[in-house]
Amino acid sequence: MLAFKLALKNLIGAGLRTWLNVFVLSLALVMIVFQSGIIHGWDLQAKIDMTEWEVGGGEYWHNLYDPYDPLSLNDGHGSLPSELKKLYNDGQAVPVLVTQASVYPEGRMRNILLKGIDPSQNIVKLPASLMKGDSLVINALIGNRMANATRLNKNDMVTVRWRDANGTFDATEIRIAGIFHTNVASIDNNQIWIPLDKLQKMTGLDGNATYIILKQGITSAPTVPGWIYKGHDILFSELDTIIKSKSIGGLVLYIILLSLALLAVFDTQVLSIFRREKEIGTYIALGMTRWQVVRLFTIEGAMHSILSVVAGAIWGMPLLYLVAKYGFAMPKATEGYGLTIAEKIFPVYSLGTIITMTIIILVTTTIVSYIPSRKIAGMKPTEALRGKVQ
Amino acid sequence: MIKFLIKGLLRDKHRSRLPLIVVAIGVMLTVLMTTWITGVLGDSINLNAKLATGHVKVITRAYRESMDQIPIDLSLTGTQALISELKKDYPTASWVERIQFGGLLDVPDENGETKSQGPFAGFGIDLFDPDSGEAERLNLSNILVKGKLPSVAGEILVSHSFAEKLGINMNDKVTFIGSTMYGGMTIVNFTVAGTIRYGIAALDRGSVIMDISDARKALDMEDACNEILGFTAVDYYDDTKATELMTSFNNENSSGNDQFAPVMIRLRDQNDLGGLIDMMSGVVGIVSFIFILVLSVVLWNAGLVGGLRRYGEVGLRLAMGEEKGHIYGSMIAESVAVGLTGSVIGVAIGLLLSYLMQQKGLDFSSAMQNATMLLPGIFRTRITPEAWYIGFIPGIIATVLGTMLSGIGIYKRQTARLFKELQLQ
Amino acid sequence: MKTYIYLIIFLLTTPLFSQPSGKEILNLIDKNLTARTRIMTAKMIINGARGSRTIEFKTWAEGEDRAFTEYTNPAREKGTKMLKVEDKLWIFSPSTDRIIQITGQMLRQSVMGSDLSYEDMMEDPDLTSHYSASVVASDTVQDRKCWVLQLNALAEGEAYEVRKIWVDQERYVPLREELYGKSGKLLKRTQLSEVTRIQGRWFPMKIVYKDMLKAGDGTQFIIVTIKLDEIIPENTFSKASLK
């Protein structure tokens, strides 16, 4: 305990030098917590967005449905099995029917997906209720990406052509009843949402669905013949890979930043030992063993890290809190590939990271403090006392 | 005087060695950090550039209007002349032709009848000319799952899960069915040389890569292509350069209202990448600032430490009657020398390491289950012009500042006490 | 497209009544359509983004179910052959030496960049058995008086639920056809002209197809020569003849 008290006194006595080191260490700590918070926040938010907008608590796919193969849509649908129908009736799930179609904005043909969903659903965030109303016109929803690509605006009419289950062509004008903004590109790009019953009628596929979105929080997924359950682990796997890649990119940054901070501590330690030979000699003369002195100096160096954690908490916590509260603006990156990135990321700091980083800083600081201190062990106390070793 | 100081620095290791090392390491880390963050943050931009957008892209005016549909009937023609013109006018950039198209792949059974079929997105790229750098650009040899890269005409790469779905084996003959640039029907046989994995589900489920000469033949696009991609540097998107290039090219080609006239667009104009680029320069700025701040503090501290280290020496010099101002001045001059030398060494090592990491990359692919084209798991630094000077700012200023602050102590010392202090030494 | 042509290739005897029923008109059409075989050379003019293109071909057809086409021009398409037998379609391309069956998605693609899809080509032309017909109006098209015939699909599964045909009241040649979706939306329009006397029948030699949802000029189909009721060797309609 004496060693700790002494070390703290010495350290604080050194004034500005100590505080500079502490500041740098705390900066490293806060930066690292912040950066991993951003990545974690992105991950979490993307998953929340996907959950809220697209996948709910998981999905059941018709066993012939393959979202990347438009040909699969011809056969990849079926009437709801009773288990899933019950969930739908209980408001625990919502079916979606997907079919290929063409739209003709400004006379140019564009192949799209027509998706039908219950306008009164509340399983996903899609503002389906905008599709309600006037039964003469089909009220459709599109996302802002689709709106940009087709130059369609709210209340515009556009021609859609499709084929029913028997192959009969039909076309009609639909009204863009609303344009929604979502971070989830995969429910926006090249698709138009219309009421499920309308789509079922248009295609002659009464009671059919391509996939079924379960309500969030439903964890039990019974086996349903002909339908395949897709849990979050499967639906999120692409995102997980990206997050991993970003984390590795950040890791190198941490290492460089931490190295810089440790460099400062190391430099300080070297000087301390150089300058305080007399003090070292005195300690030994007073009866401390050399290793006790080594320990004292090591603790003194390592104390930087403890102070930095305190300092980091003092200036970092309010800052991190503010960012977490107001978010960190992100661009619409790589959306072309259907990735989910929010416009604003709210970092999520994990206690695990904070504790891990604190321990890492503590350990590394102790090591760089110890390395120069080892010299002490080789000193002759008499010479040290006179300050003439070197 | 300066000569004397430098001699002193060289001979007295205590005076010079440690501060020099600290400055050098600090500057090196700053350089490394700048290049790293530029490299890593630029990664997704880079990959977009390589895969689809180029740094700049030349297309027809009509093609620009419906680019997301990849309408090959609106392709550029006379591209040989166009590309040699581009090479002549903008020799620093590299120019490659690409053909993006769609079609159907038909796999025959043993009787030559259709066994399976599937739609795909096709890329015609210059695979056979090693100078084009296209195979490296798309990281092809690393994303190869089975087989080999095409080496002769008629060989193609197929995305792995697409090949599995259609039941394609290596060296199988498959048939491409599609439309030519003029709308005609085209049916061509190809041999599957290898399978690849992108890591982008949409592409993995159905895509084909072939040499551009094969695509030309298949699509009736002799001397034509739908996109000419320009790269202003190997691995880094420079928005200013791209903008300059675009402005200059479009000024020369702005006349007339031919819808097939070429027009140049930048990377930032495509795939919503503009925002990412703006954010990137913002983040690089912020992180650089933080690093410079940190390094300044470290070097300031080093300066303080250096000043304290020479407490005794200064005392002796004062005792010998040297002017306080002169000592102070000489210490600052020394720190300038240390800061400058350290910065030069640090920048040199930092750039060298950055260069190595830029060329070789740091391979983390084993830490990721599936290395892919978009996320290759290999991280590279990127040496930007700033990397050359950014380290000098903290390297010199902070060192000198530290020395200046610690040197103030000189003025506080009392001559009367000096001898007492010196006695003890 | 030759099968589509059947629809138009027909003759009519002068009706005894001033207004025959739709069924009667259709019967007359179908009766006259059943020229046992047709051999014709024709060309298709396709208007695309890069100007127009002309494709020339020769077609042998028997009844409604079997047709064989060989493309003769331009050089790129020369030697490409297409065989339709009932509801199956095969294409042979000499450069690949492969016979490919056109199914699924591919059927919806346009034929050689035209406003016609393979599906349109495959369409069953036997209107009498698939549609009920009634005369809904009379009209004047190309300065000729026409009956306007409305056809409604009898069962599910027709590509077009409603068709309207403008039939020359004197020559009983259709001069215009319009295809509608279930909801009554006009999807396609065909205009037939240059009605010529061929082997004692009135024959439209020029047909323009237009996808009404798309902007553009449509596709022209021009018959250069046509011979009816010639004998076509049986093996013409086998896959072996593709190679």
Side-chain angles (χ1 to χ4, degrees):
Chain A
M1 203 53 223
L2 176 75
F4 276 97
K5 270 189 189 159
L6 206 55
L8 192 63
K9 259 197 185 134
N10 283 336
L11 211 54
I12 291 171
L16 187 59
R17 278 178 296 131
T18 301
W19 295 117
L20 288 179
N21 283 334
V22 166
F23 172 68
V24 168
L25 270 174
S26 70
L27 199 68
L29 178 68
V30 173
M31 273 273 284
I32 290 167
V33 170
F34 172 70
Q35 216 241 349
S36 72
I38 287 276
I39 292 179
H40 194 185
W42 170 23
D43 183 24
L44 211 70
Q45 203 163 342
K47 282 177 181 165
I48 289 173
D49 281 341
M50 280 175 76
T51 305
E52 286 181 344
W53 282 90
E54 188 182 13
V55 301
E59 293 181 335
Y60 276 97
W61 292 5
H62 187 270
N63 60 3
L64 297 176
Y65 169 60
D66 174 353
Y68 295 106
D69 181 3
L71 294 182
S72 76
L73 295 173
N74 292 335
D75 303 311
H77 54 77
S79 53
L80 290 184
S82 55
E83 298 97 317
L84 298 177
K85 202 171 202 166
K86 189 174 173 298
L87 284 176
Y88 175 36
N89 293 337
D90 294 348
Q92 301 290 300
V94 64
V96 175
L97 180 64
V98 188
T99 177
Q100 280 182 282
S102 309
V103 279
Y104 296 82
E106 296 163 10
R108 284 173 296 118
M109 188 175 95
R110 172 187 279 268
N111 292 318
I112 56 140
L113 293 180
L114 210 50
K115 290 187 169 177
I117 193 164
D118 187 347
S120 52
Q121 65 87 23
N122 53 11
I123 305 287
V124 286
K125 247 181 163 176
L126 191 85
S129 58
L130 291 173
M131 305 189 298
K132 282 182 184 168
D134 192 349
S135 64
L136 291 173
V137 189
I138 295 175
N139 286 311
L141 277 182
I142 54 174
N144 56 319
R145 297 168 190 81
M146 179 69 172
N148 286 337
T150 53
R151 299 191 191 104
L152 284 171
N153 296 310
K154 197 176 167 189
N155 290 325
D156 278 0
M157 302 295 287
V158 67
T159 309
V160 178
R161 194 195 64 177
W162 71 95
R163 314 191 66 168
D164 69 11
N166 297 311
T168 305
F169 282 110
D170 201 357
T172 188
E173 300 268 304
I174 57 167
R175 189 176 76 94
I176 304 300
I179 294 170
F180 59 88
H181 292 257
T182 175
N183 302 318
V184 185
S186 48
I187 59 161
D188 176 345
N189 282 333
N190 241 13
Q191 46 201 287
I192 295 181
W193 293 84
I194 60 169
L196 178 67
D197 54 337
K198 292 252 165 66
L199 185 60
Q200 286 174 336
K201 219 172 131 203
M202 282 156 63
T203 52
L205 294 169
D206 277 336
N208 270 245
T210 307
Y211 62 89
I212 291 131
I213 310 169
L214 298 178
K215 193 172 184 161
Q216 286 178 54
I218 292 192
T219 43
S220 63
T223 318
V224 181
W227 295 77
I228 299 162
Y229 174 71
K230 303 274 177 182
H232 279 177
D233 49 338
I234 297 168
L235 298 166
F236 291 158
S237 63
E238 201 168 338
L239 183 69
D240 285 337
T241 318
I242 291 160
I243 294 296
K244 182 137 197 187
S245 165
K246 298 287 168 205
S247 308
I248 294 172
L251 189 70
V252 173
L253 203 64
Y254 304 165
I255 294 172
I256 298 179
L257 192 60
L258 199 57
S259 312
L260 206 51
L262 292 177
L263 182 68
V265 177
F266 182 78
D267 191 33
T268 312
Q269 278 299 103
V270 172
L271 176 87
S272 292
I273 289 152
F274 174 82
R275 260 187 48 88
R276 290 156 63 190
E277 275 163 9
K278 274 184 284 181
E279 189 187 329
I280 294 166
T282 313
Y283 286 135
I284 297 172
L286 284 173
M288 279 169 100
T289 65
R290 288 186 185 108
W291 285 108
Q292 275 174 323
V293 181
V294 170
R295 204 175 66 188
L296 179 71
F297 274 77
T298 307
I299 289 172
E300 201 179 300
M303 197 71 89
H304 280 114
S305 61
I306 294 168
L307 288 176
S308 76
V309 172
V310 176
I314 291 170
W315 73 265
M317 262 171 29
L319 192 76
L320 294 182
Y321 169 78
L322 283 178
V323 184
K325 193 173 171 199
Y326 294 107
F328 187 83
M330 287 291 274
K332 290 181 231 150
T334 51
E335 272 187 350
Y337 298 110
L339 273 178
T340 302
I341 298 180
E343 279 163 30
K344 245 186 179 184
I345 285 185
F346 296 87
V348 174
Y349 312 113
S350 78
L351 194 63
T353 313
I354 296 173
I355 292 172
T356 317
M357 279 323 301
T358 307
I359 293 171
I360 288 176
I361 288 183
L362 216 83
V363 170
T364 47
T365 315
T366 310
I367 292 170
V368 295
S369 305
Y370 170 71
I371 295 168
S373 309
R374 270 182 324 179
K375 247 186 171 174
I376 296 167
M379 282 182 183
K380 287 192 179 132
T382 44
E383 285 184 2
L385 204 50
R386 290 180 56 223
K388 285 277 193 269
V389 244
Q390 311 215 16
Chain B
M1 173 72 190
I2 291 169
K3 226 177 176 179
F4 172 76
L5 284 177
I6 290 173
K7 245 183 199 161
L9 281 171
L10 287 176
R11 290 185 182 159
D12 181 353
K13 293 281 158 46
H14 281 301
R15 198 149 47 143
S16 60
R17 194 175 58 192
L18 197 68
L20 209 61
I21 291 173
V22 171
V23 174
I25 293 178
V27 170
M28 179 201 82
L29 288 175
T30 302
V31 171
L32 213 53
M33 180 285 313
T34 314
T35 57
W36 172 263
I37 195 159
T38 319
V40 170
L41 271 184
D43 230 26
S44 42
I45 291 175
N46 229 334
L47 288 156
N48 262 293
K50 292 174 180 174
L51 187 63
T53 64
H55 292 157
V56 289
K57 185 191 261 184
V58 181
I59 50 181
T60 64
R61 291 173 188 172
Y63 188 87
R64 181 177 55 184
E65 298 310 311
S66 47
M67 212 163 72
D68 63 324
Q69 311 260 68
I70 325 170
I72 63 163
D73 53 331
L74 306 179
S75 292
L76 292 158
T77 49
T79 52
Q80 263 179 12
L82 185 58
I83 217 165
S84 55
E85 196 182 306
L86 282 167
K87 280 179 176 160
K88 197 183 91 215
D89 292 351
Y90 312 103
T92 49
S94 48
W95 301 95
V96 291
E97 293 172 81
R98 295 248 180 112
I99 298 178
Q100 281 196 58
F101 60 100
L104 197 72
L105 208 61
D106 181 284
V107 184
D109 60 13
E110 57 275 16
N111 301 320
E113 306 249 341
T114 297
K115 177 174 82 176
S116 53
Q117 274 181 356
F120 69 87
F123 294 90
I125 64 169
D126 195 343
L127 279 176
F128 297 157
D129 177 6
D131 293 338
S132 76
E134 289 280 82
E136 292 77 36
R137 211 166 265 140
L138 295 180
N139 199 15
L140 288 182
S141 43
N142 287 322
I143 58 169
L144 195 68
V145 181
K146 265 190 348 199
K148 62 176 185 70
L149 297 186
S151 52
V152 292
E155 287 188 334
I156 57 169
L157 292 172
V158 177
S159 58
H160 190 70
S161 45
F162 188 48
E164 278 184 342
K165 200 176 102 189
L166 296 183
I168 298 173
N169 295 311
M170 290 313 100
N171 298 318
D172 275 3
K173 275 233 167 357
V174 294
T175 307
F176 156 64
I177 309 160
S179 298
T180 69
M181 176 170 144
Y182 302 98
M185 184 167 51
T186 179
I187 304 179
V188 185
N189 280 343
F190 288 105
T191 308
V192 176
T195 63
I196 45 174
R197 184 179 285 125
Y198 296 84
I200 312 162
L203 284 176
D204 279 328
R205 301 311 285 265
S207 68
V208 166
I209 291 180
M210 62 179 70
D211 187 68
I212 193 159
S213 59
D214 282 333
R216 285 212 165 98
K217 248 180 257 161
L219 302 166
D220 198 8
M221 290 178 80
E222 281 319 316
D223 201 20
C225 70
N226 50 6
E227 302 181 342
I228 293 177
L229 268 49
F231 296 90
T232 55
V234 180
D235 253 340
Y236 175 70
Y237 174 66
D238 185 335
D239 200 33
T240 325
K241 259 193 202 163
T243 309
E244 271 170 29
L245 210 64
M246 178 183 77
T247 317
S248 144
F249 182 87
N250 288 348
N251 278 344
E252 270 179 43
N253 294 280
S254 61
S255 59
N257 48 10
D258 175 10
Q259 59 164 340
F260 295 112
V263 63
M264 193 182 279
I265 55 173
R266 294 164 298 178
L267 176 144
R268 72 174 303 135
D269 307 319
Q270 308 170 53
N271 295 2
D272 291 326
L273 288 173
L276 184 64
I277 289 159
D278 293 340
M279 183 203 73
M280 216 190 87
S281 47
V283 169
V284 171
I286 292 169
V287 175
S288 299
F289 174 76
I290 291 176
F291 253 77
I292 289 172
L293 186 75
V294 168
L295 183 62
S296 300
V297 172
V298 170
L299 295 184
W300 176 9
N301 204 4
L304 279 180
V305 166
L308 289 172
R309 184 177 283 138
R310 295 168 63 190
Y311 192 79
E313 179 205 327
V314 171
L316 190 64
R317 280 165 75 179
L318 283 173
M320 282 163 64
E322 201 173 338
E323 285 283 321
K324 282 179 177 172
H326 187 261
I327 297 175
Y328 193 53
S330 76
M331 284 183 74
I332 290 169
E334 272 179 42
S335 73
V336 171
V338 167
L340 194 66
T341 322
S343 299
V344 169
I345 296 172
V347 168
I349 299 174
L351 285 177
L352 185 75
L353 287 177
S354 298
Y355 179 76
L356 287 176
M357 273 163 70
Q358 179 178 312
Q359 299 305 316
K360 304 265 181 216
L362 271 191
D363 192 347
F364 282 101
S365 49
S366 55
M368 296 171 57
Q369 296 93 338
N370 296 314
T372 61
M373 184 190 283
L374 259 196
L375 300 167
I378 296 171
F379 294 84
R380 289 173 198 279
T381 49
R382 161 54 43 190
I383 297 175
T384 52
E386 296 90 71
W388 289 86
Y389 61 79
I390 207 157
F392 284 97
I393 302 168
I396 296 171
I397 297 178
T399 312
V400 173
L401 194 71
T403 312
M404 281 167 82
L405 277 172
S406 68
I408 294 171
I410 295 170
Y411 290 97
K412 290 185 189 154
R413 291 170 80 173
Q414 305 289 323
T415 321
R417 290 191 57 197
L418 281 173
F419 290 96
K420 214 179 163 209
E421 284 176 17
L422 289 170
Q423 248 174 6
L424 275 172
Q425 289 279 337
Chain C
M1 52 240 79
K2 57 239 92 25
T3 56
Y4 201 78
I5 287 307
Y6 294 4
L7 174 72
I8 310 115
I9 303 171
F10 61 97
L11 279 179
L12 285 178
T13 50
T14 318
L16 300 170
F17 337 101
S18 61
Q19 182 178 334
S21 74
K23 180 105 180 158
E24 278 166 331
I25 295 178
L26 268 194
N27 274 335
L28 287 168
I29 290 171
D30 276 359
K31 193 176 151 198
N32 285 289
L33 268 175
T34 50
R36 212 167 32 78
T37 66
R38 291 152 300 269
I39 300 172
M40 63 177 169
T41 54
K43 59 186 176 186
M44 203 153 66
I45 301 168
I46 298 158
N47 297 303
R50 297 195 170 267
S52 66
R53 252 167 20 102
T54 304
I55 292 163
E56 292 170 24
F57 53 90
K58 191 169 184 187
T59 290
W60 293 259
E62 186 185 275
E64 294 161 359
D65 287 340
R66 305 207 288 181
F68 181 89
T69 301
E70 180 170 355
Y71 292 86
T72 51
N73 210 23
R76 232 194 123 79
E77 266 93 20
K78 191 173 175 172
T80 300
K81 295 165 193 164
M82 237 182 255
L83 173 66
K84 180 214 159 176
V85 176
E86 284 159 2
D87 60 348
K88 294 207 170 67
L89 183 67
W90 292 274
I91 291 184
F92 170 78
S93 82
S95 58
T96 57
D97 197 34
R98 276 211 50 203
I99 296 170
I100 291 158
Q101 187 176 353
I102 303 292
T103 52
Q105 179 87 336
M106 190 69 190
L107 280 172
R108 298 183 182 184
Q109 302 289 315
S110 103
V111 179
M112 303 271 178
S114 67
D115 275 25
L116 280 162
S117 69
Y118 292 96
E119 260 171 349
D120 289 334
M121 269 178 50
M122 299 288 292
E123 221 206 325
D124 195 320
D126 181 9
L127 298 176
T128 5
S129 55
H130 292 92
Y131 291 89
S132 68
S134 58
V135 177
V136 291
S138 55
D139 195 4
T140 306
V141 174
Q142 294 164 32
D143 293 329
R144 308 231 15 126
K145 281 197 163 174
C146 292
W147 303 121
V148 182
L149 210 59
Q150 177 160 333
L151 279 65
N152 291 300
L154 290 170
E156 296 276 319
E158 299 304 327
Y160 301 98
E161 179 87 357
V162 176
R163 294 160 176 265
K164 270 189 189 169
I165 304 176
W166 279 253
V167 186
D168 189 320
Q169 289 186 4
E170 206 180 299
R171 295 171 178 167
Y172 282 83
V173 177
L175 296 177
R176 178 191 289 170
E177 186 187 25
E178 289 181 349
L179 305 178
Y180 294 85
K182 262 186 176 167
S183 57
K185 176 107 186 155
L186 176 58
L187 300 176
K188 287 195 174 167
R189 176 181 288 152
T190 310
Q191 310 223 51
L192 307 96
S193 58
E194 291 174 21
V195 178
T196 316
R197 203 86 168 142
I198 305 276
Q199 289 176 272
R201 309 173 190 208
W202 286 109
F203 225 90
M205 302 295 274
K206 183 180 174 187
I207 303 147
V208 178
Y209 299 94
K210 169 99 177 71
D211 184 334
M212 298 308 287
L213 301 179
K214 253 199 287 197
D217 298 329
T219 299
Q220 290 179 48
F221 185 97
I222 295 162
I223 297 169
V224 181
T225 64
I226 180 159
K227 281 184 251 170
L228 303 171
D229 294 328
E230 300 257 317
I231 290 166
I232 300 171
E234 175 60 28
N235 63 11
T236 306
F237 303 111
S238 72
K239 276 207 258 176
S241 68
L242 282 168
K243 286 207 177 186

